[in-house]
């Protein structure tokens, strides 16, 4: 029989009630893996166990809908060169591909597990993982097999970059054909790095070929679009009914309108702007147009080697014209929307009991106190995990 837990004396509870996103002096009851009750602390029912939140803020666990956690090696030297003035190049991905191919399955799983533990310790209770550092049929499949051990939200990104010395159209045919066939059993989503101006990345037609094949194979679509320049990726995402267009740093007015009309989530990845020293996306423009915005880390060794959703929230508030509430909403409910999940990213009764207790009286502190480890407790599916 599952035991119940009462989390009592919550100073501020976020996203438990769609009508009132911030509740003060609240309590929450967990039954098994789910939230069973929320309400005023004064009305809290008895439970098998009581946890005193002591006036701290409680919010849903973060939903990181965009990561590249399966890889080997690092590219600290490339980062340092960039900070000394070098531009970002998609070709850097090939450095990680070589290290990843050379690693054993056990080494990849160990490294991915360490990163997954980093995410969890910083409050992320649901995360997506992409392949994309294998780029052969067998290496992409094994990266997805490794990813699958950590999350059901796995994404086939064979079209991350064209491997060295390979013809681009021949590679697209491989990705959309035999590679997809080998990887589809381990993937829920298909993604493409659509950035026509960046050597090694994919243009609109190539991206369409890969994503359409992915959709035919039963995968949902998501797209890396508009990271360095306006391009066809966002409209393609809307045309194909993708769950999410990711990066969205450079958007035309038509792109913004298409996102709003289609309901495709715009997933913003400020860690990438930070680590490529690029201008940040304008979240305000998207929110004002009625677009659903998600925030994610893009955790990868090249363009954004952070596993911290609190860091991304702080950047979004400081640099992207988001209020603290909008940023935390994007990091929880927005990420859930980007993964088409309604069981996470919220604390309404019936949701999975994934929650973060902050060492702070308010979620505002996530942006107000950047870089400070404020995540005091993490609960996933009703159990305390950090
Ligand atoms: O999301 N944009 C493409 N892929 C990654 C970068 C990967 C890398 O540089 O290793 C990204 O930013
Ligand atoms: Fe990415």
């Amino acid at each position: 029989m599952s035991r119940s837990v009462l989390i009592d004396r919550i100073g501020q509870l976020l996203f438990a009630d769609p009508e009132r996103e911030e509740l003060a002096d609240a309590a929450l009851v967990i039954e098994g893996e789910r939230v069973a009750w929320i309400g005023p602390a004064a009305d809290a029912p008895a439970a098998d166990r009581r946890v005193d939140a002591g006036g701290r803020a409680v919010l849903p666990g973060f939903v990181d809908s965009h990561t590249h956690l399966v890889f080997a090696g690092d590219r600290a030297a490339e980062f340092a060169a960039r900070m000394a003035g070098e531009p970002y190049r998609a070709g850097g991905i090939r450095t990680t591909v070589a290290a990843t191919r050379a690693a054993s399955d056990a080494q990849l799983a160990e490294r991915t597990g360490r990163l997954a533990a980093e995410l969890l310790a910083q409050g992320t209770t649901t995360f997506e993982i992409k392949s994309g550092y294998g780029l052969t049929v067998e290496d992409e499949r094994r990266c997805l097999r490794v990813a699958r051990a950590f999350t059901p939200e796995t994404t086939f990104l064979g079209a991350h970059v064209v491997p060295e010395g390979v013809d681009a159209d021949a590679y697209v045919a491989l990705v959309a054909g035999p590679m997809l066939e080998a990887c589809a059993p381990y993937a829920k989503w298909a993604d493409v790095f659509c950035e026509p101006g960046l050597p090694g990345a994919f243009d609109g037609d190539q991206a369409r070929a890969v994503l359409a094949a992915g959709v035919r194979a039963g995968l949902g679509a998501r797209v890396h679009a508009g990271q360095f320049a306006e391009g066809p990726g966002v409209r393609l995402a809307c045309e194909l009914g993708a769950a999410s267009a990711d990066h969205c740093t450079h958007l035309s007015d038509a792109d913004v309108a298409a996102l709003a009309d289609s309901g495709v989530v715009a997933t913003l990845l400020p860690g990438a702007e930070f680590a490529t020293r690029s201008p940040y996306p304008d979240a305000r423009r998207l929110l004002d147009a009625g677009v659903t915005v998600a925030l994610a880390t893009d955790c990868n060794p090249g363009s954004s080697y952070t596993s911290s959703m609190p860091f991304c929230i702080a950047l979004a508030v400081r640099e992207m014209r988001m209020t603290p509430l909008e940023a935390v909403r994007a990091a929880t409910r927005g990420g859930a929307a980007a993964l088409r999940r309604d069981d996470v990213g919220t604390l309404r009764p019936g949701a999975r009991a994934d929650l973060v207790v902050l060492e702070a009286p308010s979620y505002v502190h996530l942006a107000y106190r950047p870089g400070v480890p404020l995540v005091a407790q993490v609960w996933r599916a009703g159990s305390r995990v950090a």
Side-chain angles (χ1 to χ4, degrees):
M1 210 186 72
S2 66
R3 288 167 59 79
S4 57
V5 181
L6 165 66
I7 304 188
D8 203 3
R9 296 213 308 140
I10 298 171
Q12 182 187 61
L13 181 62
L14 275 200
F15 308 137
D17 180 341
E19 304 302 312
R20 285 188 307 142
E21 292 189 305
E22 297 176 43
L23 300 175
D25 303 321
L28 175 149
V29 175
I30 299 169
E31 292 270 7
E33 299 192 349
R34 305 264 152 191
V35 177
W37 181 91
I38 52 150
D43 300 345
D48 298 322
R49 188 153 78 88
R50 177 176 176 271
V51 174
D52 183 356
R56 295 177 181 84
V58 172
L59 51 142
F62 301 121
V63 180
D64 189 348
S65 61
H66 183 142
T67 85
H68 305 248
L69 293 194
V70 183
F71 63 85
D74 80 34
R75 283 151 53 199
E78 180 189 308
F79 173 78
R82 223 167 28 243
M83 295 305 111
E86 289 290 314
Y88 175 79
R89 294 187 186 89
I93 294 171
R94 297 186 186 122
T95 309
T96 302
V97 169
T100 303
R101 287 179 182 168
S104 67
D105 290 8
Q107 286 168 330
L108 287 179
E110 198 266 336
R111 177 67 167 273
T112 306
R114 260 193 285 145
L115 286 170
E118 262 183 42
L119 265 73
L120 194 65
Q122 293 169 98
T124 299
T125 47
T126 301
F127 53 89
E128 178 259 20
I129 302 180
K130 299 174 200 301
S131 67
Y133 292 117
L135 309 188
T136 65
V137 172
E138 199 32 60
D139 284 302
E140 283 295 298
R141 177 166 49 194
R142 81 188 180 105
C143 288
L144 282 165
R145 239 195 262 118
V146 168
R148 199 53 182 249
F150 296 95
T151 180
E153 303 294 345
T154 53
T155 301
F156 169 52
L157 181 58
H160 197 185
V161 72
V162 179
E164 192 89 75
V166 175
D167 172 73
D169 288 329
Y171 186 65
V172 168
L174 174 73
V175 171
M179 196 186 280
L180 171 65
E181 199 182 319
C183 290
Y186 303 96
K188 182 166 172 186
W189 306 98
D191 193 348
V192 178
F193 187 10
C194 181
E195 195 74 39
L198 194 67
F202 299 86
D203 68 20
D205 290 340
Q206 293 165 335
R208 179 183 283 102
V210 170
L211 292 174
V215 170
R216 281 196 299 276
L219 306 185
R222 22 199 349 102
V223 188
H224 281 72
Q227 181 177 359
F228 294 103
E230 285 178 26
V234 170
R235 267 154 298 148
L236 182 62
C238 298
E239 174 194 319
L240 293 175
S244 173
D246 297 46
H247 286 287
C248 288
T249 308
H250 299 272
L251 299 174
S252 67
D253 289 343
D255 288 337
V256 176
L259 287 166
D261 288 348
S262 63
V264 173
V265 174
T267 300
L268 309 182
L269 308 166
E273 277 72 38
F274 179 89
T276 57
R277 197 174 270 158
S278 304
Y280 289 87
D282 183 356
R284 180 88 270 127
R285 181 181 176 209
L286 289 161
L287 292 166
D288 288 350
V291 176
T292 301
V293 171
L295 278 176
T297 61
D298 197 13
C299 184
N300 77 77
S303 66
S304 182
Y305 201 4
T306 180
S307 50
S308 171
M309 291 293 276
F311 175 62
C312 295
I313 288 167
L315 288 179
V317 171
R318 176 62 182 83
E319 304 285 352
M320 291 155 56
R321 300 204 291 157
M322 296 184 97
T323 65
L325 184 64
E326 286 167 341
V328 177
R329 189 190 294 131
T332 52
R333 291 171 51 185
L339 294 173
R340 299 222 165 119
R341 297 275 299 264
D342 60 10
D343 59 329
V344 296
T346 167
L347 289 174
R348 63 171 167 68
R352 204 169 74 184
D354 290 1
L355 49 97
V356 168
V357 180
L358 293 182
E359 193 52 71
S362 163
Y363 67 85
V364 176
H365 284 230
L366 287 165
Y368 174 46
R369 306 198 65 212
V372 179
L374 296 178
V375 172
Q377 295 181 24
V378 183
W379 293 65
R380 185 157 65 181
S383 298
R384 182 154 174 201
V385 290

